[in-house]
Amino acid sequence: MKSIDLRSDTVTLPTPEMRRAMYEAEVGDDVYREDPTVNRLEERAAELLGKEAALFVPTGTMGNQVAVLTHSRRGEEVIVEAESHVYLYEVGGIAALSGCQVKTLPGVRGAMDPAAVEAAIRPVNVHFPRSGLVCIENTHNRSGGCVLPQENVAAVAEVAHRHGIPVHMDGARIFNAAVALGRPVAELVAPVDSVMFCLSKGLAAPVGSLLVGSREFIDEARRYRKLLGGGMRQAGVLAAAGLVALELMVDRLADDHANARRLAEGIAEIPGLAVDMATVQTNMVMVDIVDPRFTGRTLVQAFERWGVRCNDVGPRRIRLVTHKDVTAADVELALDAMARAVKAGP
Ligand code: TLP
C-alpha cells in the first residue's frame, strides 16, 4: 500500500534539477566568504525580499534564534504570539541562548492585536525588563497556515518601531503567503526589520533557510551563526539546491494550496471530523475531532494503518500538510483511506 505523507512539507525530497545543481555547484569555504554559490543565494534572497543582505543558515530554528540573539540583549523581554514556533517549538532558545524572557500575547489566526502589543511594551522603570523585540509568524503554523493580514503586519511594526523596538518575522512559509495573496514577497516583509524563511519546506530543498535584513544586522548575525556552530564551509552544495528552489518551486505552491483546499473539503464531509474552512488558506489543514471514539493520537494511528501519515497537534486536533510530493490523485486516495479509517474506528 502506498503511504501518503502529510506530516509536513519538510518531508519533500529534492528534485532532479536540485540534485544536478548540487552535483555541479561551484564551492569554496563560506566562513572565508569564498563560496560563490552561497554568495549568490544570499544575494538572490536579499533581492527577492527587498532587504540589503542575507545569511544562509542550516535550519529555520537557527535562523530565528540568530535573529533573536542579534536583535536583543540579555534580560530583555521578547514579545511573541502565544502559539508561535519561536516560542513553542525551538527548545526554549529565547531563554537558553539569548537570556531573554518571553511575553506571550494571544493571536487571532496568528495576528496579535497592535493595541495589545503596545500595552505589552514596558515603560521605563527600574523594576522592568526592557522590551527588546517583537516576533511575528507568517504563515502561522499553529492556526493552520493562515496568512497574516498585511494591515496587521504593518500596524504591529508601526507600534514596535514607534517605541524603538525591532520586528522579526518568522517567515518559514512566507512564499506560501505571497502566493496565496498574489503579492510579491518583498511587499509582505517590507514593514519588518528581519525575516527568516525556509528553503526546506514547501520549496522542497533538502536543507537550508535564510535570514535577511539590513547589512549591519546580517554582519552581526554572521557572528552569532558562527557561535552556534553554523559556519558551514563548502555549503554551496546545499545553496545550489536553494537557488533552484527559489527559481522553480515558488509558483507551484499554488498547487499545494489547491490540494489542501480539496483535502479540507473532503475531510469536512467525513462524519466525526470538522475543519474550519476559513483557516485553509495555504498548504495546511487542521482537523478537529468531534467523534468521541478518537483522540488526536489514536486518529493518527488509525490513519497510519490505512496508509495516511499526519501529526497530532493537540488532544483532539491533527494537522495535514500538502506539498510537492503529494499529487491531486494522492489527495483523493488519502480522503478515501481516511473515511474508511474513521468508519473502522480506533
Ligand atoms: N516547523 C515544523 C515543526 O518544527 C513543527 C513543521 O513541521 O511545521 N518556523 C516555523 C513557522 C516552522 O513551522 C518551522 C518548522 C520552523 C520555524 C523551524 O524550521 P526548521 O525545522 O528548519 O528548524
Side-chain angles (χ1 to χ4, degrees):
M1 182 174 51
K2 183 181 174 186
S3 164
I4 300 168
D5 195 345
L6 300 164
R7 285 174 302 168
S8 183
D9 45 12
T10 59
V11 304
T12 43
L13 300 177
T15 64
E17 291 86 352
M18 289 178 187
R19 299 259 191 190
R20 204 167 308 121
M22 293 171 80
Y23 180 75
E24 290 169 358
E26 205 188 327
V27 297
D29 190 327
D30 181 51
V31 175
Y32 293 104
R33 312 283 298 271
E34 287 172 6
D35 189 303
T37 310
V38 171
N39 291 343
R40 263 204 301 139
L41 175 63
E42 292 179 345
E43 280 158 26
R44 183 75 188 121
E47 182 184 39
L48 272 172
L49 272 75
K51 304 285 183 204
E52 284 173 7
L55 181 70
F56 186 47
V57 288
T59 64
T61 300
M62 190 187 285
N64 280 337
Q65 293 304 323
V66 164
V68 178
L69 278 161
T70 309
H71 282 303
S72 66
R73 292 290 158 268
R74 191 172 179 78
E76 287 183 346
E77 194 163 65
V78 178
I79 298 172
V80 301
E81 192 274 332
E83 296 271 300
S84 59
H85 194 281
V86 70
Y87 167 60
L88 284 182
Y89 295 121
E90 298 189 9
V91 208
I94 295 178
L97 301 171
S98 293
C100 291
Q101 69 181 27
V102 164
K103 170 76 181 170
T104 60
L105 296 178
V108 176
R109 294 178 197 159
M112 294 182 284
D113 176 0
V117 173
E118 182 142 37
I121 293 171
R122 302 284 196 151
V124 178
N125 181 310
V126 73
H127 298 88
F128 295 154
R130 290 196 181 106
S131 302
L133 177 64
V134 175
C135 292
I136 60 178
E137 185 176 309
N138 199 13
T139 62
H140 185 262
N141 187 338
R142 289 274 307 175
S143 66
C146 288
V147 180
L148 292 182
Q150 194 56 24
E151 53 288 1
N152 178 262
V153 174
V156 167
E158 189 278 321
V159 163
H161 291 156
R162 186 149 38 78
H163 291 268
I165 300 167
V167 180
H168 171 69
M169 180 188 284
D170 174 347
R173 298 182 180 83
I174 193 65
F175 284 92
N176 292 85
V179 166
L181 292 175
R183 307 300 310 167
V185 77
E187 192 178 305
L188 272 56
V189 306
V192 303
D193 302 278
S194 61
V195 188
M196 182 284 291
F197 74 89
C198 294
L199 300 164
S200 59
K201 300 200 161 59
L203 301 182
V207 176
S209 295
L210 285 128
L211 181 60
V212 295
S214 71
R215 191 161 302 284
E216 193 188 359
F217 171 81
I218 292 299
D219 285 346
E220 190 63 9
R222 196 174 290 280
R223 291 176 53 79
Y224 283 112
R225 182 187 69 171
K226 193 75 180 71
L227 172 67
L228 300 185
M232 291 185 290
R233 310 299 176 183
Q234 287 76 38
V237 286
L238 303 174
L243 280 161
V244 174
L246 291 177
E247 187 76 20
L248 298 181
M249 305 302 282
V250 173
D251 292 344
R252 65 150 306 288
L253 292 174
D255 299 344
D256 299 345
H257 299 178
N259 284 340
R261 179 144 280 274
R262 167 65 193 135
L263 187 66
E265 285 164 357
I267 291 171
E269 282 173 17
I270 300 175
L273 303 183
V275 179
D276 177 358
M277 290 304 295
T279 66
V280 186
Q281 301 175 3
T282 57
N283 68 332
M284 291 187 188
V285 182
M286 291 289 182
V287 180
D288 292 312
I289 304 165
V290 185
D291 187 330
R293 297 172 303 156
F294 288 104
T295 64
R297 194 85 283 277
T298 60
L299 187 60
V300 166
Q301 286 161 352
F303 283 173
E304 179 122 34
R305 287 196 294 275
W306 289 80
V308 176
R309 305 184 79 184
C310 60
N311 279 319
D312 52 318
V313 293
R316 307 202 60 77
R317 179 170 263 217
I318 62 169
R319 182 189 79 164
L320 299 93
V321 185
T322 56
H323 52 77
K324 73 111 177 126
D325 295 330
V326 174
T327 64
D330 290 335
V331 168
E332 300 306 323
L333 286 174
L335 284 171
D336 192 51
M338 289 188 285
R340 285 167 196 269
V342 171
K343 206 164 179 191

